[in-house]
Amino acid sequence: MARSVDEITGGHRFRRLRKSDWVRRLVRENTLTPDDLIWPVFVVAGKNIEEPVAAMPGVSRYSPDRLAKQAKRAASLGIPAIATFAYISPELKDETGSHVLHPDNIVNQATRALKDAVPDIGIITDVALDPFTSHGHDGVLRNGIIVNDETVDILAEAAVIQAEAGADVIAPSDMMDGRIGAIRDALDASGLNDIAIMSYATKFASAFYGPYREAVGTLDLLKGDKKTYYIDPANADEAVREAEQDITEGADMIMVKPGMPYLDIVRLLKDTFAMPTYAYQVSGEYSMIKAASANGWIDGERAMMESLIAFKRAGCDGVLTYFAPEAAELLNG
Ligand code: PBG
């Protein structure tokens, strides 16, 4: 004779605590607020410019004046910080990315414009060579090799220049060995002890960065791939050791990138190190949700919110996401 459901479950019924909104709210384990959001933005030289990025519906490159307006809006939505990424015009690019060291390059111009217009929003700057190199790699390229130590020297110098322009947090996204310690030393030697480092501690060699490369103009330049410096997507132990190394060298915050396919890494790092831990929901993740939603295949708004709460559940203290203003608007009702 078939057993009854109560015989099978021993009388336990999970659905008791799912039956109405009030009880679902009461047992909810994680919440998302605008405080959890970091907004990555693209900046381009010029005035009064807003250029839509084709592969990222709803995302544009802004000139510093327009970016400042966007940042004001972000601050009023309760978003604590923005992360800037630069589109560099091709004539300023070279083999070593030397324009990264120009104190008045577009990254630093944007920082000054933002600090001036919106003093209460945190500014996180990307320290990496890829927007500045003629080959789109994150380091100096010689005889087909990305040269580690020379790249680290440039990054450390660039970090100081960015901090002097007003960046609050330096975020190296390049995965060269030793860069966190070198950047910490350089900042401290310049009296910039209060500037924090958010390490892209575990950055994987991912296909999900595609749309970003259109946004910063590296798509057609990049030869080969980044497998000699980013982590193999198959490796989790190595990711733990990478994060440990960055923490030892002085990282204040650690990040996992991309986000959704790597939530296991987020949980692992949070449980292992108990550090402020972030994930970067990268361009490809954003564009997939936008594209499926535009086709009517998924409810874009719900997919966005579900993806964001998943980061919290996995252990993130915050998420870098192109959805930040849209999500904050929804959260604010
Ligand atoms: C490189 C960099 C990447 C992203 C930001 N900085 C990856 C890459 O181009 O290899 C990706 C961000 C995204 O996809 O949203 N330093």
Side-chain angles (χ1 to χ4, degrees):
M1 213 185 63
R3 290 184 298 163
S4 72
V5 167
D6 281 328
E7 281 166 341
I8 290 168
T9 65
H12 187 79
R13 291 185 179 253
F14 281 101
R15 293 184 55 189
R16 282 179 202 133
L17 301 185
R18 293 176 192 154
K19 68 180 179 186
S20 52
D21 183 61
W22 68 264
V23 73
R24 289 193 294 269
R25 281 190 282 133
L26 209 52
V27 301
R28 185 159 297 146
E29 299 171 37
N30 292 284
T31 51
L32 181 74
T33 79
D35 289 342
D36 299 313
L37 304 172
I38 297 170
W39 187 23
V41 293
F42 299 110
V43 59
V44 63
K47 253 190 156 359
N48 202 25
I49 294 176
E50 173 176 353
E51 294 170 349
V53 178
M56 301 178 72
V59 171
S60 293
R61 292 186 280 256
Y62 297 103
S63 51
D65 53 332
R66 287 272 198 122
L67 186 62
K69 289 197 184 112
Q70 292 295 323
K72 262 193 190 140
R73 179 177 152 239
S76 71
L77 288 167
I79 295 170
I82 69 177
T84 55
F85 295 88
Y87 177 94
I88 302 297
S89 27
E91 69 274 12
L92 294 173
K93 300 191 187 205
D94 60 23
E95 288 282 306
T96 62
S98 62
H99 189 64
V100 75
L101 297 177
H102 199 298
D104 202 33
N105 68 26
I106 192 63
V107 175
N108 300 316
Q109 278 181 35
T111 300
R112 280 190 285 268
L114 289 168
K115 267 286 163 227
D116 203 40
V118 204
D120 331 316
I121 204 160
I123 302 175
I124 302 173
T125 54
D126 174 48
V127 176
L129 298 187
D130 58 292
F132 299 92
T133 53
S134 47
H135 42 73
H137 279 289
D138 297 29
V140 172
L141 177 66
R142 287 234 166 75
N143 304 321
I145 288 170
I146 304 300
V147 184
N148 192 89
D149 302 13
E150 192 180 341
T151 301
V152 169
D153 289 343
I154 299 172
L155 295 173
E157 211 182 316
V160 170
I161 293 165
Q162 292 182 3
E164 280 170 345
D168 301 291
V169 177
I170 297 295
S173 67
D174 58 288
M175 296 299 283
M176 296 301 117
D177 287 318
R179 83 245 199 253
I180 300 298
I183 289 172
R184 187 71 269 160
D185 287 354
L187 290 171
D188 292 352
S190 298
L192 297 160
N193 314 64
D194 285 345
I195 304 301
I197 299 176
M198 172 186 274
S199 171
Y200 286 66
T202 67
K203 183 167 185 181
F204 292 85
S206 171
F208 290 99
Y209 306 141
Y212 165 91
R213 293 180 186 166
E214 181 209 321
V216 298
T218 59
L219 193 59
D220 302 326
L221 300 176
L222 188 65
K223 291 174 207 84
D225 55 48
K226 301 192 175 185
K227 290 180 186 168
T228 69
Y229 45 106
Y230 292 177
I231 304 174
D232 184 334
N235 294 354
D237 290 347
E238 183 186 347
V240 173
R241 296 198 311 275
E242 256 286 357
E244 181 173 39
Q245 176 71 28
D246 284 9
I247 294 164
T248 306
E249 289 180 25
D252 301 284
M253 307 153 110
I254 56 173
M255 187 211 296
V256 173
K257 178 180 181 182
M260 276 224 286
Y262 298 87
L263 293 181
D264 58 325
I265 307 291
V266 170
R267 172 50 65 197
L268 203 50
L269 298 192
K270 189 65 179 174
D271 287 349
T272 308
F273 302 114
M275 287 284 289
T277 303
Y278 301 82
Y280 195 145
Q281 184 178 45
V282 299
S283 56
E285 301 174 62
Y286 172 86
S287 298
M288 286 195 302
I289 292 175
K290 283 290 180 191
S293 161
N295 275 296
W297 296 335
I298 58 172
D299 178 331
E301 214 163 74
R302 286 186 52 207
M304 165 178 79
M305 295 315 261
E306 185 177 330
S307 68
L308 294 173
I309 198 68
F311 288 110
K312 294 296 301 288
R313 194 192 62 240
C316 282
D317 295 284
V319 189
L320 290 94
T321 175
Y322 301 99
F323 286 121
E326 201 179 331
E329 244 160 39
L330 261 183
L331 291 167
N332 291 328

